[in-house]
Amino acid sequence: MFAVISDVHSNLEALTTVLADIEERGIGTIYCLGDVVGYGPNPRECLDLIIEKTKWCVLGNHDYAVFYEPTNFNYGAEQASFWTRFSLEAEAEAAKRNRRWSFLGELPMRQSLNIKLGPDTSMIDFVHASPRKPINEYIFPDDVYTNPLKVRILFERVEHICFVGHTHLPGVFLDEPDFYMPDELDNVYPIVDGEKAIVNIGSVGQPRDKDNRASYVYVEGNEVHFVRLEYDFETTAKKIRAIEQLDSFQAERLRDGR
Ligand SMILES: [Fe+2]
């Protein structure tokens, strides 16, 4: 049994809520798909928790932006990444500061597991964004209608299952191509032999599917379970509004889930 979380975006209230739920379910292994930082007010605390609680994490575009440079970011996202950098640099304790920077600088682009799920053994890949461009490519639900060729080509890079985040829109892509929202699957996707899937696990700290609850998945046997959890987004929003360099839109979107 393991949990997969993604796109925390420096949202401590959402992250602690999700970690508590994972612990309550008795799940000991957590993998993270990146974008630990960016947008939100608590990069230090979120990095410390991810370092402590997850088995590994892959590199997201916002982690890249903070450690290297923002690429193709809008003004608000760029400002947030500069502020995040400032906040990490301003840490007074050198050991903590260096630990967080080392973590960001050593994040791999991809992880893979060859794992027995129920009766079958599956190859599972984990990337932040897409199997073709692991850090930056968006795979949107609409792509199955507007750009089916793109989705088919992406599936050529998938051996069996690929977990992604990045769009903050949870759901399952099949190679037909097709897309299913978690609701349409009763929040469970069964991994079966011979059916490829790209599973978007949604975002812990900035959901964008008009549902403001934190999103993550856990895998039990061969089933991927989608979970949504209410958390105290008002507190996160208040912290964002108190930091001048963070756009207040980053606070409003938490309430609306956009
Ligand atoms: Fe993200």
Side-chain angles (χ1 to χ4, degrees), residues 2 111-115 117 122-126 161 163 191:
F2 60 88
Q111 289 280 12
S112 298
L113 284 178
N114 198 359
I115 193 170
L117 301 170
S122 297
M123 178 57 94
I124 306 186
D125 295 308
F126 301 82
I161 303 295
F163 282 104
I191 295 173

Side-chain angles (χ1 to χ4, degrees), residues 7 9 34-35 39 61-62 128 166-168 203 206 208:
D7 295 272
H9 286 297
D35 276 9
Y39 295 126
N61 56 319
H62 285 257
H128 177 65
H166 194 43
T167 62
H168 304 196
S203 167
Q206 195 193 80
R208 293 182 192 158

Side-chain angles (χ1 to χ4, degrees), residues 94-232:
K96 283 187 179 176
R97 190 170 66 235
N98 294 339
R99 184 165 170 247
R100 294 172 191 141
W101 279 122
S102 303
F103 173 79
L104 285 172
E106 289 164 8
L107 291 174
M109 290 207 279
R110 178 190 301 273
Q111 289 280 12
S112 298
L113 284 178
N114 198 359
I115 193 170
K116 197 166 159 53
L117 301 170
D120 302 316
T121 300
S122 297
M123 178 57 94
I124 306 186
D125 295 308
F126 301 82
V127 291
H128 177 65
S130 103
R132 176 166 61 175
K133 297 180 183 170
I135 302 174
N136 269 313
E137 183 172 38
Y138 290 91
I139 317 172
F140 286 111
D142 277 359
D143 287 341
V144 303
Y145 307 110
T146 60
N147 201 348
L149 185 62
K150 168 185 162 185
V151 183
R152 283 201 197 99
I153 289 170
L154 289 174
F155 267 101
E156 288 173 12
R157 305 286 187 107
V158 177
E159 193 171 319
H160 187 193
I161 303 295
C162 184
F163 282 104
V164 300
H166 194 43
T167 62
H168 304 196
L169 301 168
V172 178
F173 294 86
L174 300 180
D175 64 357
E176 314 225 328
D178 227 333
F179 177 78
Y180 296 91
M181 292 187 297
D183 276 357
E184 298 175 286
L185 303 167
D186 287 332
N187 299 311
V188 178
Y189 172 71
I191 295 173
V192 288
D193 245 3
E195 183 172 84
K196 289 185 183 186
I198 296 174
V199 180
N200 193 310
I201 66 170
S203 167
V204 169
Q206 195 193 80
R208 293 182 192 158
D209 58 348
K210 306 272 165 63
D211 178 343
N212 64 19
R213 294 174 300 166
S215 173
Y216 82 96
V217 303
Y218 67 90
V219 177
E220 185 172 24
N222 70 327
E223 292 182 338
V224 181
H225 293 257
F226 289 86
V227 181
R228 298 305 286 257
L229 298 167
E230 284 179 18
Y231 75 95
D232 179 12

